[in-house]
Amino acid sequence: MNKLFYPALFHEAEEGGFWVSFPDIPECMTQGDDMQQAYEMAVEALGLSLSSMEDEKAELPVASRPQDIQSERGSFLVVIEFDMAEYRRKHCSRAVKKTLSIPEWLNDVAIKQNINFSQVLQEALMEKVGVR
């Protein structure tokens, strides 16, 4: 479940620009000076909300069908595409130390070939979990 799609309502702000709300995540709101900035901020706000829910082991809300959402006067619906794996790579890349064991002969061969163990493990794990 890497790509998620949530409907957002873009509301025209009186002072210009847009403010954005998510019907399925009422606490998630943001704003932008123009359409592009509002969209980018909506992706970031959605990412912060969803990753916080995931970190707290809360179930992510099911996205409403866009056709079921009524927009008010001065607002319009935009579906926001969100890639959880990409967001995690961008915002949660703190290194975590892992201890592992490999056969001594394999260790010796890898050291002679100047293999970066951390890089190999990261690449293998990304392939294993289907993330690139």
Side-chain angles (χ1 to χ4, degrees):
M1 172 181 39
N2 288 334
K3 293 231 178 170
L4 304 169
F5 299 88
Y6 279 90
L9 287 172
F10 280 61
H11 310 268
E12 294 180 60
E14 290 179 18
E15 58 280 347
F18 301 92
W19 64 277
V20 184
S21 63
F22 290 85
D24 301 311
I25 311 169
E27 66 277 8
C28 183
M29 288 193 234
T30 191
Q31 64 184 32
D33 294 334
D34 56 32
M35 183 64 177
Q36 180 176 343
Q37 185 184 45
Y39 185 88
E40 290 168 358
M41 295 298 291
V43 172
E44 286 297 315
L46 181 61
L48 182 60
S49 291
L50 294 177
S51 65
S52 293
M53 288 177 197
E54 204 173 61
D55 290 345
E56 295 167 1
K57 308 285 189 256
E59 193 169 322
L60 300 182
V62 175
S64 296
R65 296 174 350 137
Q67 57 269 38
D68 294 339
I69 296 173
Q70 298 294 318
S71 60
E72 306 161 359
R73 184 176 169 91
S75 68
F76 53 93
L77 182 75
V78 175
V79 175
I80 304 295
E81 177 183 358
F82 179 74
D83 186 330
M84 183 65 85
E86 180 63 30
Y87 183 86
R88 289 282 188 195
R89 271 194 298 277
K90 184 177 175 184
H91 295 285
C92 305
S93 58
R94 178 178 60 87
V96 178
K97 186 169 180 67
K98 292 289 180 190
T99 303
L100 57 102
S101 299
I102 60 173
E104 184 178 20
W105 69 267
L106 184 56
N107 183 63
D108 294 342
V109 171
I111 288 173
K112 285 179 185 171
Q113 294 183 20
N114 293 319
I115 291 177
N116 181 322
F117 288 83
S118 293
Q119 182 179 1
V120 170
L121 179 58
Q122 288 178 44
E123 290 170 356
L125 286 170
M126 286 192 287
E127 184 176 321
K128 189 74 168 177
V129 299
V131 176
R132 276 282 155 195

